[in-house]
Amino acid sequence: MREWFEATGAVVMGRLVYDSGEEHWADNPPFRAPVFVLTNRPRPTVVKEGGTSFTFVTDGIHSALDLAKAVSGGRNVDIAGGTDTFQQYLRAGLVDELQPHVIPVLLGAGLRLFDSLGPGAHDLEPIRVVDTPGATHVKYRVLKRT
């Protein structure tokens, strides 16, 4: 986690992820960076402790990414999800790396990360695997389509 915090300058997430975490995160969310929430429901920016702010972006993925890059200080912009948000960025060719965290908990059918993207839209090259007692963290480079 320390590596993620040091490397991340801003975060983009979908409204469902924000709505799901807002109460749990309370006044001290874990992001420690500006967060841009994709939504069709505008809302004023919410400022929290630890350097986290939530700005609600209503004009699409490119706008949210541009805003995040502008404040990232040259560090990574993390696409924190959910599935639909990630798929939009991957489909647009805007994802360089992917790091899913595989947690051995059965929650039902779930959402398939690569569904609806089409063949060849998600060629991945493994970069590293970190196995911990609670999860396996796999980092992939997203190969550009030809």
Side-chain angles (χ1 to χ4, degrees), residues 64-79:
L65 184 59
D66 290 345
L67 291 167
K69 284 181 177 180
V71 300
S72 70
R75 296 184 304 172
N76 293 340
V77 172
D78 184 60
I79 309 299

Side-chain angles (χ1 to χ4, degrees), residues 37-117:
V37 181
L38 290 163
T39 184
N40 58 7
R41 294 177 280 155
R43 180 175 169 183
T45 296
V46 176
V47 178
K48 299 287 189 167
E49 296 173 14
T52 301
S53 60
F54 294 96
T55 301
F56 299 85
V57 181
T58 59
D59 50 349
I61 65 170
H62 291 91
S63 178
L65 184 59
D66 290 345
L67 291 167
K69 284 181 177 180
V71 300
S72 70
R75 296 184 304 172
N76 293 340
V77 172
D78 184 60
I79 309 299
T83 302
D84 182 60
T85 298
F86 169 73
Q87 288 175 345
Q88 288 180 64
Y89 280 102
L90 189 62
R91 198 177 295 114
L94 299 171
V95 177
D96 297 320
E97 293 180 352
L98 166 65
Q99 186 166 319
H101 309 285
V102 182
I103 302 168
V105 176
L106 299 177
L107 299 174
L111 297 172
R112 296 175 57 92
L113 194 57
F114 296 105
D115 271 3
S116 79
L117 294 176

